[in-house]
Amino acid sequence: MKRQLQNGLFELLAIGLLVAQTTLDWTQATVQCWRRHPRACSALVYLFLTMAFCYQPSVGRWIGGFVMMSLPVAMLGGLVASLYLLRQNERLAGTVGLVWLVLTLPIGKRLFGYGTELPATVSAQALSVLSFNGECFNPAANTGIRTLRADIACFQEYAPNADLEKQYPDRLTRLTRFSGNRQVGLALFSQYPIVRQYGRIWKRGNAPDINGFLCADVAYGRDTVRVVNVHLWSMGVRVEQAYQAGRTGRLGRFFAELGDTFQRLKEGFDRRDEQIREVEQYVSGSRYPVIICGDFNETPFGYAYGKLRRNFRNAFEEAGEGFGFTLNRHPYCVRIDQQFFSPDWHVTSCRTLSGVTFSDHFPVMAQYVLKKSLTRTPEVLAQR
C-alpha cells in the first residue's frame, strides 16, 4: 500500500514537471516569437481582446465599445498576421491565431444574414413587427407611409401623422417639443389591444429630447406579449463633414471633426449602457414573450447590442439576408436599427426595406411565430 502511494506521488510529480516544462517552453517560444514579429503578435493579441469583449461586454463601457466596434478590422488583421506567422515557420503562434479566428466566426455572423424558414408542415399565424426611424416624416413621406403596414409598428423620431394613425385601433406615443410647434418622439401602433403600457423620454440637456423607450403589453389572441420600442442615445456624428474635409485637403478641419466624433462616440457608449440597463428592467425575467426593436445607434459590434445579445436573439442574425444596412446616409454600410426577441418566438423573416427612402433610415420588418404554436395543432392565435 505504501509503495503504491509512493508510485502515485511520483507519477503526479512527473506530470507536474512535464506541465511546468511545457508551459515554460511555450512561454519562451511566445516571447521569442514576439521579439521577432512584434506587429503580427500584437495583431493576434488585439484579435483576442476584441473577441473576448464581444462575447462578454462587461468591462469599461466606452472603452469596451470602441474595442468591440473594431472587430472586423481585428479579424482582418488577425488573418493576415496568422498567415504571415505560418509562412515564417512560427507554427504555434500562427495556429493559435487561426483558432481565435474560428472562434470569432459566430460573432462575425452578426454582419451577414443567411435567412431561415419554417418547416413546410407548419402553418401558424405570424405577427409582423415594423421598426422605423421616420426622421419626423417629411412631406414626401405621406405616400410611402401608406405602404408601411404591420400588426405592430414602432416608430422613432415620430411626428403626428393622421394617415398612419387611422390604420391602427390602438396606439401609444411619447412626444416632446422639437422646434417651434413641432413635436417628435416615439410611437407604438398595434392592431391588437394594448392592455398595459409604460414610456419614458430621456433628458438630453442642450439637445432635443428625442431618445427614450415605450413598453407595451399587447393582448395577442389568447396570449399577452411585451413589445418595447427603443431609441437609444443619438450622437449626431458628423461623418459627412469629416469626409468632405479630408477629400478637399482641409486637414485641420478633418482632425477637428475626428476629435469631435471620438467625443460623441465616447459619450454615446456610456449613455446607451445606462439606457439599455433601464430597458432590461422591463424585459428581464418577463413572463410574457418579448420583442425589443428600434434605433440602437450602434453597429452589431456595439456595447449595448452585445449586452442585450446575451439574453435575447437578434432577428436579423436568425432570419435576415445579406448585410441589411439600415442607414440611408453616410456611413451607408452600417446596421443600427435592430429587432431582438426572447426564446418564446421563432422568427421567420427579417428584411430591411431599402425601397423606402424618405428617411435617413430604412425600415426593418420581421415576422414572428410563437414557438408553442409549432408544437401543437395549429390554431388561430389572434383575432383582429
Side-chain angles (χ1 to χ4, degrees):
M1 183 68 180
K2 184 176 180 181
R3 182 178 296 275
Q4 291 178 347
L5 181 60
Q6 289 176 340
N7 291 338
L9 291 174
F10 281 130
E11 289 178 0
L12 289 176
L13 180 60
I15 293 173
L17 290 174
L18 178 62
V19 171
Q21 184 62 47
T22 303
T23 303
L24 180 61
D25 291 343
W26 283 4
T27 302
Q28 290 176 342
T30 300
V31 172
Q32 292 172 2
C33 180
W34 192 291
R35 289 174 176 173
R36 290 192 293 266
H37 313 286
R39 294 181 181 178
C41 291
S42 297
L44 294 186
V45 170
Y46 189 74
L47 171 64
F48 178 80
L49 288 175
T50 56
M51 177 182 65
F53 272 68
C54 286
Y55 273 116
Q56 190 63 31
S58 58
V59 180
R61 294 175 293 185
W62 67 269
I63 297 175
F66 278 110
V67 172
M68 293 166 64
M69 188 171 61
S70 66
L71 179 65
V73 176
M75 291 177 67
L76 179 60
L79 175 61
V80 173
S82 298
L83 295 177
Y84 169 78
L85 290 171
L86 289 174
R87 187 178 179 85
Q88 298 298 315
N89 207 32
E90 300 285 357
R91 296 179 180 178
L92 177 61
T95 303
V96 168
L98 292 178
V99 170
W100 288 349
L101 277 170
V102 172
L103 293 177
T104 62
L105 292 181
I107 307 172
K109 186 179 180 295
R110 298 178 186 180
L111 275 179
F112 193 87
Y114 299 95
T116 188
E117 59 183 26
L118 284 171
T121 57
V122 172
S123 60
Q125 183 170 336
L127 178 73
S128 58
V129 178
L130 172 77
S131 176
F132 185 29
N133 184 323
E135 198 185 16
C136 304
F137 291 149
N138 62 58
N142 288 332
T143 301
I145 284 176
R146 298 188 184 98
T147 67
L148 298 177
R149 298 182 181 275
D151 295 325
I152 296 177
C154 298
F155 293 93
Q156 306 87 45
E157 295 190 26
Y158 174 80
N161 186 284
D163 284 342
L164 180 63
E165 292 172 8
K166 68 183 181 183
Q167 298 181 33
Y168 296 89
D170 217 343
R171 67 177 183 266
L172 168 62
T173 60
R174 286 290 185 276
L175 306 177
T176 58
R177 188 176 301 279
F178 185 58
S179 61
N181 293 323
R182 296 179 66 196
Q183 288 185 308
V184 65
L186 294 107
L188 189 153
F189 298 97
S190 177
Q191 299 288 356
Y192 306 101
I194 296 175
V195 296
R196 192 178 297 105
Q197 58 182 259
Y198 177 79
R200 180 179 176 187
I201 297 293
W202 292 301
K203 299 297 183 182
R204 290 183 60 93
N206 59 350
D209 299 328
I210 62 174
N211 301 118
F213 73 97
L214 300 176
C215 182
D217 291 343
V218 178
Y220 180 47
R222 298 180 181 180
D223 298 287
T224 300
V225 299
R226 181 162 293 174
V227 181
V228 184
N229 177 18
V230 302
H231 187 192
L232 299 184
W233 189 266
S234 303
M235 296 172 293
V237 176
R238 299 194 294 262
V239 176
E240 181 67 26
Q241 286 88 332
Y243 170 76
Q244 292 297 335
R247 190 175 66 85
T248 56
R250 293 176 294 163
L251 296 182
R253 181 66 176 175
F254 174 74
F255 286 111
E257 292 292 347
L258 285 184
D260 179 74
T261 296
F262 174 83
Q263 290 298 326
R264 290 172 184 262
L265 288 171
K266 177 179 178 296
E267 182 182 20
F269 285 128
D270 285 340
R271 296 287 188 174
R272 285 190 296 274
D273 175 64
E274 298 169 0
Q275 292 168 356
I276 206 66
R277 288 174 185 269
E278 184 175 348
V279 171
E280 285 183 316
Q281 294 176 4
Y282 293 90
V283 294
S284 295
S286 170
R287 66 181 185 272
Y288 304 133
V290 174
I291 296 173
I292 307 170
C293 61
D295 179 2
F296 282 67
N297 276 306
E298 278 192 1
T299 71
F301 304 115
Y303 190 74
Y305 184 109
K307 291 191 67 176
L308 201 59
R309 185 63 178 79
R310 290 185 297 183
N311 298 313
F312 297 89
R313 299 166 71 179
N314 182 269
F316 186 84
E317 289 184 44
E318 301 292 327
E321 295 183 1
F323 290 101
F325 299 139
T326 63
L327 200 58
N328 190 23
R329 58 175 169 80
H330 281 295
Y332 291 95
C333 55
V334 293
R335 194 178 87 248
I336 63 176
D337 300 88
Q338 311 291 345
Q339 293 198 22
F340 289 88
F341 61 96
S342 65
D344 310 272
W345 296 99
H346 180 95
V347 58
T348 62
S349 69
C350 182
R351 297 179 296 131
T352 299
L353 307 181
S354 55
V356 180
T357 59
F358 57 77
S359 170
D360 61 347
H361 290 245
F362 296 122
V364 177
M365 178 80 79
Q367 303 276 344
Y368 299 91
V369 175
L370 284 170
K371 282 186 176 179
K372 66 180 182 180
S373 69
L374 305 180
T375 58
R376 56 178 167 81
T377 303
E379 59 185 69
V380 177
L381 294 180
Q383 299 289 338
R384 289 188 179 84

